[in-house]
Structures are given as C-alpha cells and as structure tokens.
Amino acid sequence: MKKRLVILLTAASMIFATACGNDDAKKTSKKTTSNVAENNNSDSNSDQSKDNNSKPTEEPATKEPVVEILPTLEKDAYVDFSGIKVPVTITWEDFQKFVTDNNWKIVSDKDDAPSDANFHGDVEVETNCGVVQFNFMPDAYDTYSVLEGVNIDYDILTDKVSICGVSCTSKLADLDKALKAELSDSETSKSYHIDDYLTVRMINRDDDKFDMSISRYPWARRKVDILEYLEHINADTELGEKIVVETKENTNTRRDMYGRLTIALPENVIYKSTDIATDQFTYKDGNDKTNYIGLGYNCNYVKGNRTCSEIEFSQELKKSIDIWNSVNTLPARISEIQIGEYSGYELYKPSPSDSRSNVRTYLMWIEGYQIEFYISYYNDVNQELYNEALDVLMQAIASVEKVQ
C-alpha cells in the first residue's frame, strides 16, 4: 500500500527564475534607490550636507525576477526542485543514485517501483521541496526503465518546483503566449507542449492555483525513427542517405484514386490493370515503344478510407520490419525520402537475375493515408530512360491531392 505523506511548509513567497537546459538563462531585475545629495565639503552646502547625511539611506527596493517560460527539447529539459535539477530523460538506475546523492529518500513501497521484470512503476520521494510522485516506463526498445512523469501538488510545493519556467503559480495567459496548448474538453485542466512528446498539465485548484502533472509520451505514441530502429536490431540491410525530391510544375491529366485522392500522370504512362487496389502502368518512350519499366501504386488503405497519423504510419512500418527481419526478407536498402511535402521511405530490392526485375518501393504518408508506390525495371533497361521514368513517378507522388 502506498503511503501519502503530506508536509505543509510555510515559507516566504518568492519565485525562482528557471530555464530548462540553460543555467545561464536571462534574469531581469530593477532597483530603485533614493536620491542622496553629494557632500562636497563646500561652505554653502555644509548645512544641507549635514541634514542629508543625518537621514538614513533607504534600502534598495528590488523587483522579483521575471521567469521565462520556454519551449525546450525533451533531451534538454529538467524539473527544477529549488536548484536541484532532475533530467526528464533520467533512467531508473540513475534516478536511484540521484536520490541518494541529493539526500532525498524514497518513502513508498518497493513493490511499486520499477524492476527488471517490470519497467513500469512509480515511487514517492521525499525531496528538498516535499513529497513528490515520480512515474517510470520502458524505454524505446524495452531494455530499461526511464522517467515518464512527475506529479506536483500545489499544497506542498507551490512555486518551489518548476519545469521550463512553469510552476504551480504560473498564469495560464502566460503559458498560452509561450507554449502550444493541447485541445481538450476539460474545464478543470489544460495541457501544454514543452516539446513534441513532453507536456505539462495544469490542474486548476482554485484562485489560479494549480497542481502540475509533467508527462512524457510512451513510445507507442511516438513517431518511430525507422533507421535508428534498424540499427538497434542490427538489421541485415543497408541504411541509405536521405533522398529529397523537389517538385516541378505538373499540368498532367489527373486520375481518380477511389474518390478520395487524385494523381497527375503524363500520357506516356499507360494503364494496364488493377489487382486488389493496385493500379499498374507501363512507361513508354517518345517513340511509343513499350519498355520494361513498370509503375504503379497500391491504394488499399485509400479504398477502405483507412486513415492514420504519421505516428501510426511509422509504427506500422516498424511492425513490418520485425516480420521481414524474422523471415529474412528485408529489402537490400532502406532510405528516408521527402518528395515535396510528403514523407516516407524507399525500399530497394535488386533483381536476383536478369529474368526478374529490380523494384524500388515508396511507402508514403500522404493526406493521412498510407500509399505504396513502385517502379520495376530489368537489368538491361536503358539508364537514361529509367531516370526519366523515375522522375515521372516522383512528380506523380508529389502531385497527389485530396478530393475536397
């Protein structure tokens, strides 16, 4: 059973200027001093000097430091406990050492903490600012436990704890100006993005006083870095350089893609057939001779109106890679590609013989749909013609538009 230790601290009101990832964050302050006449020892001013010198000098009046609320990269962010700074990316192993080194103490049951058998867990820690709950989760590859979030109670911590300038006494109007707010129907809380996968939720108590919940997205809710993942699993495939294709003006006739999208194709891209939502074409040269170059696209997701986020797109590709890797059918090379405004991956499978074609597949995330394009060609294809056909395919991909 967890024990909730509540310690009420009475302290003079003060705000700590805090900026994540930069100990040299700018601080501003102003001082006002009384005007004191100079004593120049002249006869004409001697009496006035005596009067002035007999009056006590006023103490300088200081203005509280201005706290900067700053968006910050997740890897650089930390939670500041009155000068003791916990990196939000800290591992459970390093956190335990951090607790000891700073004379903090874990006060919750050990059974609730992360373990080798379960990377999920939470602990309550007696910090220099009061008792705080820290949550942990598995890392990207389920190899160890990392910090997931920190829950901060206004009654205990007030403005002694902050992240990127945000504390329990911050004004929502200031956060609205500096950070991106998440859409929410809640009337009692509001969440803000410090980074893409790092948020702080302000839970309204009363009179603009807030509890704070700092959270990192679990990896199932993040876009997968596919090339990094391939490196992690030591995949037997080449990791290609990123391909960037600039778009050109495209006035070709548009072809319907199941009433949801359109694509612009030139007249020398000749339609052949459709097989399970895959439209197949042949590329012809200027003499209207058919060459051994095939173009096509699989619109299975478009046909079924199955949309996905870019995060879901990358997660699905990760699952496919796991399957390909398990049966030793990975492409020979995988490269990230950017075609105009659309992103995805090129998968290259070379021909095993002259009697079979090479295939370059382009898995693209376009207008919320996953679409698979391809170009196939034999080893003896004319290279100049191949380059021409490839450029046509790239510009066709860039031309895809959503039907309004």
Side-chain angles (χ1 to χ4, degrees):
M1 296 291 292
K2 298 183 183 178
K3 298 180 180 178
R4 181 68 173 172
L5 177 60
V6 179
I7 304 174
L8 299 179
L9 301 179
T10 302
S13 175
M14 61 188 300
I15 297 178
F16 290 84
T18 306
C20 287
N22 184 0
D23 291 337
D24 296 322
K26 294 180 182 179
K27 303 177 182 178
T28 60
S29 63
K30 296 181 181 179
K31 294 183 179 181
T32 304
T33 57
S34 61
N35 293 323
V36 181
E38 293 183 358
N39 182 358
N40 57 13
N41 294 321
S42 65
D43 292 338
S44 61
N45 294 331
S46 60
D47 292 337
Q48 183 179 354
S49 298
K50 289 178 183 178
D51 290 340
N52 286 338
N53 291 334
S54 64
K55 295 178 182 179
T57 303
E58 294 181 15
E59 289 294 327
T62 61
K63 188 175 180 179
E64 292 177 338
V66 176
V67 176
E68 290 186 275
I69 299 172
L70 298 172
T72 305
L73 294 176
E74 180 183 33
K75 66 183 181 63
D76 297 327
Y78 53 75
V79 186
D80 190 338
F81 289 83
S82 191
I84 298 178
K85 301 170 182 179
V86 181
V88 300
T89 57
I90 195 168
T91 66
W92 167 241
E93 182 178 355
D94 289 342
F95 180 78
Q96 294 174 86
K97 183 176 184 302
F98 187 95
V99 166
T100 301
D101 291 346
N102 288 283
N103 296 316
W104 291 1
K105 183 180 180 182
I106 296 175
V107 294
S108 57
D109 293 340
K110 293 182 179 179
D111 292 343
D112 297 324
S115 65
D116 291 339
N118 183 9
F119 295 143
H120 289 282
D122 54 76
V123 292
E124 291 184 347
V125 180
E126 186 176 332
T127 72
N128 57 313
C129 295
V131 173
V132 180
Q133 185 185 65
F134 293 83
N135 310 115
F136 291 83
M137 65 180 176
D139 75 315
Y141 306 120
D142 292 329
T143 52
Y144 47 82
S145 185
V146 296
L147 186 65
E148 179 178 17
V150 184
N151 297 316
I152 300 168
D153 191 328
Y154 176 88
D155 287 338
I156 299 174
L157 303 168
T158 62
D159 56 2
K160 293 178 181 291
V161 181
S162 62
I163 179 169
C164 303
V166 183
S167 73
C168 291
T169 58
S170 293
K171 305 297 182 185
L172 294 187
D174 294 334
L175 271 64
D176 287 335
K177 294 176 184 177
L179 302 175
K180 177 184 175 183
E182 278 193 343
L183 296 177
S184 174
D185 296 330
S186 175
E187 296 181 356
T188 59
S189 68
K190 192 170 184 179
S191 294
Y192 296 88
H193 278 272
I194 293 172
D195 193 16
D196 287 344
Y197 304 125
L198 175 63
T199 64
V200 56
R201 183 161 64 102
M202 307 297 287
I203 306 164
N204 195 15
R205 295 284 297 276
D206 53 21
D207 300 328
D208 290 329
K209 299 174 183 177
F210 301 93
D211 294 335
M212 286 201 316
S213 178
I214 299 165
S215 301
R216 299 173 65 202
Y217 280 24
W219 270 263
R221 294 179 60 197
R222 298 176 182 236
K223 180 181 176 181
V224 180
D225 186 325
I226 294 297
L227 299 189
E228 182 181 278
Y229 180 66
L230 288 165
E231 282 189 310
H232 172 73
I233 63 176
N234 296 315
D236 185 20
T237 184
E238 179 186 348
L239 306 182
E241 295 293 328
K242 183 175 181 177
I243 303 167
V244 178
V245 179
E246 295 185 4
T247 58
K248 305 172 186 176
E249 184 180 6
N250 191 335
T251 59
N252 294 318
T253 303
R254 290 198 162 272
R255 181 180 177 83
D256 175 71
M257 301 171 81
Y258 295 96
R260 297 185 173 91
L261 305 172
T262 62
I263 186 170
L265 294 171
E267 292 181 357
N268 62 335
V269 175
I270 310 301
Y271 173 75
K272 286 177 58 180
S273 62
T274 298
D275 180 21
I276 314 178
T278 299
D279 289 357
Q280 301 169 348
F281 303 83
T282 297
Y283 186 78
K284 290 188 175 183
D285 66 13
N287 296 319
D288 202 32
K289 292 181 179 178
T290 301
N291 293 274
Y292 298 104
I293 300 178
L295 304 176
Y297 46 78
N298 183 332
C299 284
N300 184 50
Y301 288 90
V302 180
K303 182 180 180 181
N305 198 23
R306 294 167 56 192
T307 58
C308 64
S309 67
E310 191 172 10
I311 290 172
E312 291 168 332
F313 168 74
S314 67
Q315 292 281 351
E316 284 299 312
L317 180 52
K318 175 179 176 288
K319 292 177 183 177
S320 296
I321 286 172
D322 288 337
I323 295 172
W324 299 334
N325 192 47
S326 66
V327 294
N328 199 29
T329 58
L330 279 167
R333 183 177 67 239
I334 299 180
S335 307
E336 186 180 359
I337 188 168
Q338 185 75 35
I339 306 174
E341 62 180 290
Y342 301 131
S343 59
Y345 295 88
E346 179 193 72
L347 283 58
Y348 171 59
K349 289 188 176 183
S351 170
S353 69
D354 289 344
S355 61
R356 294 181 62 183
S357 60
N358 304 276
V359 180
R360 294 180 189 270
T361 300
Y362 298 89
L363 294 179
M364 305 299 298
W365 185 68
I366 297 179
E367 301 292 350
Y369 294 100
Q370 176 178 315
I371 308 177
E372 179 180 331
F373 298 86
Y374 74 87
I375 179 170
S376 61
Y377 53 98
Y378 289 92
N379 289 331
D380 61 352
V381 71
N382 179 280
Q383 190 63 41
E384 183 177 346
L385 190 64
Y386 162 75
N387 291 336
E388 183 181 296
L390 180 62
D391 183 62
V392 165
L393 178 61
M394 295 296 101
Q395 296 307 313
I397 293 173
S399 77
V400 174
E401 291 182 355
K402 193 170 185 178
V403 176
Q404 298 300 325

